[in-house]
């Protein structure tokens, strides 16, 4: 059996991902016949049929599925080799790809990445704003280097989760709101007042609701959202108190909003997620170090702002 070359394996990998010869050809920047010829050559090398076309659709065989698993392992090693070679160069060069949940991607991660890139004008960056499920998938497929999310993702053999910072849920409200003069907001103080919460299926929202329930109270949750920036905008209209993460206030110089502590404390733990099969490049590791320092500074500023 002739050993397949990397071009054949790469073409096969793209075709398995797209399940479409036309799209595979577009991504590879070749013609459709070239894709078909490469796959036929690979099948000839392996002595196995990898795809069947039924009613115009392409279906991979069982051999193709098993082969893909081995090829993914190979490409992980190749990507790790490439990262290692990049790491031999200065961390002033290279590319870093990051995925984060929207609240973090739009605030502290974006700010940190911009500052990091400003000091390294030759690097290329990619920042994806994704829900936690999509983010974990991107890391597992090695589409990004680092991921950032609130709360531990749970047991996952192929991923590592490192606690890099801890914040807390805060109350954000209009300066003319009846409770704006309260230094600390509690379920008892908020009882009867409209609150703006994350949607119920999110862990932070569940913890906030549990804080009310422990006092025998139910939050007047007239308003729910899956976006902290939307909650802040609603609070700015004076319709309620937003119980959200404080990162949305980063760089906000508006004077119509105030931020208040919420007690009992509801922690927001930020985890950095990485693939255990792809060691962090020197560039990624340097960014993570800078991000941890930025989070410490932000936490200190937050304490000063609301004390």
């Amino acid at each position: 059996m002739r050993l397949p070359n990397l071009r054949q394996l790469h073409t096969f990998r793209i075709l398995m991902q797209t399940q479409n010869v036309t799209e595979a050809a577009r991504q590879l920047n070749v013609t459709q016949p070239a894709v078909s010829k490469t796959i036929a050559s690979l099948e000839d090398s392996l002595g196995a049929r990898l795809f069947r076309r039924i009613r115009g659709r392409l279906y991979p065989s069982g051999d193709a599925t098993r082969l893909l698993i081995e090829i993914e392992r190979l490409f992980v090693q190749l990507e790790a080799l490439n990262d290692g070679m990049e790491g031999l160069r200065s961390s002033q060069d290279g590319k870093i790809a990051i995925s984060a949940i929207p609240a973090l991607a739009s605030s502290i991660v974006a700010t940190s990445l911009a500052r990091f890139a400003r000091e390294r004008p030759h690097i290329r960056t990619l920042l994806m704003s994704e829900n936690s499920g999509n983010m974990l998938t991107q890391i597992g497929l090695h589409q990004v280097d680092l991921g950032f999310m609130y709360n531990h993702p749970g047991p996952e053999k192929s991923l590592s989760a490192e606690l890099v910072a801890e914040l807390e849920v805060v109350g954000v409200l209009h300066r003319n709101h009846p409770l704006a003069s309260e230094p600390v907001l509690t379920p008892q103080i908020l009882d009867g007042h409209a609150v703006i919460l994350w949607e119920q299926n999110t862990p932070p929202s569940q913890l906030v609701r549990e804080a009310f329930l422990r006092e025998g109270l139910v939050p007047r949750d007239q308003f729910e959202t899956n976006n902290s920036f939307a909650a802040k905008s609603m609070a700015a209209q004076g319709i309620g108190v937003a119980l959200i993460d404080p990162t949305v206030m980063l760089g906000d110089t508006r004077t119509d909003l105030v931020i208040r502590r919420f007690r009992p404390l509801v922690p927001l733990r930020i985890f950095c997620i990485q693939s255990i099969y792809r060691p962090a490049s020197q560039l990624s590791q340097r960014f993570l170090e800078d991000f941890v320092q930025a989070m410490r500074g932000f936490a200190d500023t937050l304490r000063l702002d609301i004390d």
Side-chain angles (χ1 to χ4, degrees):
M1 182 186 74
R2 299 194 311 272
L3 288 176
N5 57 49
L6 284 177
R7 180 177 61 84
Q8 292 172 323
L9 297 181
H10 180 55
T11 300
F12 170 78
R13 187 186 188 209
I14 295 298
L15 187 56
M16 286 291 286
Q17 291 173 354
T18 61
Q19 302 282 296
N20 184 283
V21 175
T22 302
E23 177 59 21
R26 187 191 68 80
Q27 291 190 24
L28 293 166
N29 197 28
V30 298
T31 64
Q32 295 181 43
V35 172
S36 299
K37 183 178 180 180
T38 300
I39 295 300
S41 176
L42 177 61
E43 290 179 325
D44 184 57
S45 297
L46 298 174
R49 185 83 175 271
L50 298 176
F51 295 94
R52 297 182 184 277
R53 187 177 292 276
I54 303 175
R55 295 178 182 176
R57 295 190 62 184
L58 207 61
Y59 293 89
S61 67
D63 287 335
T65 303
R66 288 189 290 273
L67 177 61
L68 180 63
I69 294 173
E70 298 303 323
I71 288 177
E72 290 294 350
R73 290 175 181 167
L74 172 62
F75 273 85
V76 167
Q77 294 299 318
L78 289 173
E79 289 170 359
L81 173 62
N82 183 63
D83 286 346
M85 294 172 65
E86 287 186 0
L88 295 177
R89 299 197 300 267
S90 167
S91 61
Q92 300 294 316
D93 195 10
K95 178 181 178 180
I96 181 171
I98 297 173
S99 184
I101 60 172
L104 297 176
S106 303
S107 57
I108 190 68
V109 174
T111 301
S112 298
L113 187 58
R115 182 170 55 247
F116 186 77
R118 188 181 301 117
E119 297 170 354
R120 297 165 176 82
H122 299 296
I123 70 169
R124 296 171 57 228
T125 67
L126 172 66
L127 175 57
M128 303 293 291
S129 177
E130 300 282 357
N131 63 46
S132 57
N134 288 345
M135 185 201 71
L136 295 176
T137 297
Q138 289 174 336
I139 296 170
L141 294 175
H142 307 112
Q143 295 171 345
V144 297
D145 303 303
L146 305 172
F148 294 93
M149 64 185 295
Y150 285 130
N151 302 306
H152 196 284
E156 174 53 63
K157 293 182 179 179
S158 65
L159 303 178
S160 67
E162 177 186 357
L163 178 63
V164 294
E166 184 167 330
L167 302 175
E168 63 184 75
V169 169
V170 297
V172 175
L173 60 164
H174 194 277
R175 62 193 304 269
N176 293 329
H177 190 282
L179 300 181
S181 60
E182 296 286 346
V184 178
L185 301 176
T186 66
Q188 293 92 340
I189 291 174
L190 289 167
D191 187 32
H193 293 273
V195 292
I196 307 164
L197 301 179
W198 286 295
E199 56 185 338
Q200 292 193 31
N201 63 347
T202 60
S205 179
Q206 293 169 357
L207 291 173
V208 169
R209 295 171 193 277
E210 288 173 6
F212 277 81
L213 290 175
R214 284 196 296 270
E215 302 299 328
L217 301 172
V218 176
R220 187 181 157 199
D221 54 349
Q222 284 182 258
F223 312 103
E224 287 187 359
T225 179
N226 64 350
N227 186 292
S228 294
F229 285 92
K232 182 179 75 169
S233 296
M234 297 168 76
Q237 299 301 312
I239 64 172
V241 178
L243 298 176
I244 52 178
D245 61 291
T247 61
V248 297
M249 300 302 292
L250 182 68
D252 194 327
T253 58
R254 62 200 301 171
T255 59
D256 58 338
L257 286 174
V258 295
I259 183 171
R260 296 289 181 261
R261 290 193 183 280
F262 176 74
R263 291 293 182 269
L265 186 146
V266 176
L268 291 173
R269 298 182 176 92
I270 300 177
F271 285 85
C272 176
I273 315 299
Q274 300 183 59
S275 169
I276 64 172
Y277 298 116
R278 188 180 189 185
S281 67
Q282 182 177 336
L283 190 64
S284 298
Q285 190 60 43
R286 185 65 59 82
F287 172 78
L288 182 56
E289 293 170 359
D290 282 13
F291 179 79
V292 170
Q293 289 297 322
M295 288 306 306
R296 289 174 180 165
F298 176 67
D300 291 340
T301 300
L302 176 66
R303 280 191 286 271
L304 290 174
D305 287 345
I306 62 180
D307 280 344

